Amino acid sequence: MNINFLCSLPRAGNTLLGSIINENQGIKCSPNSICTDILFKLNSLKSNDIYRNFPKESSLDNLIKQSLYEYYKDWESDLILDRGPWGTPDNLKILKKIFIKPKFVILLRPLIECLASFAKLQIDNKNYTKNNIDKYLLGLLNFDTGVIGKNICSVNNLLKSNEQYKIFYYTDLVNNIDLFLNNLGNYLNFNLKKPHKLKQYKIGNISYIDDIPNLHKIKIGSIEKSNYAVEDYLNYDMIQFIKNNNPLDI
């Protein structure tokens, strides 16, 4: 089994891409992965008093090195694309205990569109209005605790590294899927094809269980960008804040 890594911002087309990839035989794209937490928590045992009392590092590293393969051993796939913030300094350091030269796919969508997509979900579900959602969005951008912030940190660190990565764009995913899959397949050394019919994201018989309705639901009729303006869901101050303080280094 070969394992590569998908690093991107949430709401950048990850679920759509995963649904397409998973219709191909021999390859699987993970959901938002728990594996970064698994490796981080295993590695954090090195600060445990019991470990420090008898610090046989090689044995714990053996467990860390095998954990990804054990996690995916029943996925019946030759190639796994694991989605998570693997590019953060801590995650990357642990990952390189397992892979000398890990391969990364970076899927990019403009940050303001990702934020507007989050805002649309919350506003459409009547959890917030356009005028009171800013605190929620700023929380998402927090580098330590925010789901967008952690992934921004991951992508930024990869972009300034010497790691093996290739950038792919959301606009290409929704506007020219055949060319997108051809380029991605060439990078992954895997023949990727567009499915005849889109399906909701699923691994085996397991689907997302979302607190926010439609968070991971895709349009199954066709591959296209949702047609709405960011101004419909982000107020002027938030739009200016992102334009003036865009933390994504690209």
Side-chain angles (χ1 to χ4, degrees), residues 21 45 107-108 113 138 197 214:
I21 287 176
L45 290 174
L107 180 61
L108 287 182
E113 292 185 12
L138 290 173
K197 182 179 179 181
N214 299 323

Side-chain angles (χ1 to χ4, degrees), residues 95-159:
L95 190 62
K96 296 193 73 170
K97 290 179 177 290
I98 307 172
F99 304 94
I100 297 173
K101 195 69 174 175
K103 181 182 282 190
F104 300 93
V105 172
I106 298 177
L107 180 61
L108 287 182
R109 183 183 188 183
L111 174 59
I112 198 164
E113 292 185 12
C114 295
L115 278 177
S117 182
F118 267 110
K120 183 178 187 302
L121 280 170
Q122 294 286 7
I123 292 170
D124 287 353
N125 284 294
K126 303 187 185 307
N127 296 322
Y128 293 91
T129 69
K130 186 169 118 173
N131 293 323
N132 70 9
I133 199 170
D134 285 11
K135 185 176 180 180
Y136 166 77
L137 296 177
L138 290 173
L140 297 178
L141 290 169
N142 186 287
F143 275 15
D144 294 323
T145 60
V147 64
I148 295 181
K150 287 190 288 187
N151 283 282
I152 289 174
C153 179
S154 167
V155 170
N156 281 346
N157 194 52
L158 284 175
L159 292 176

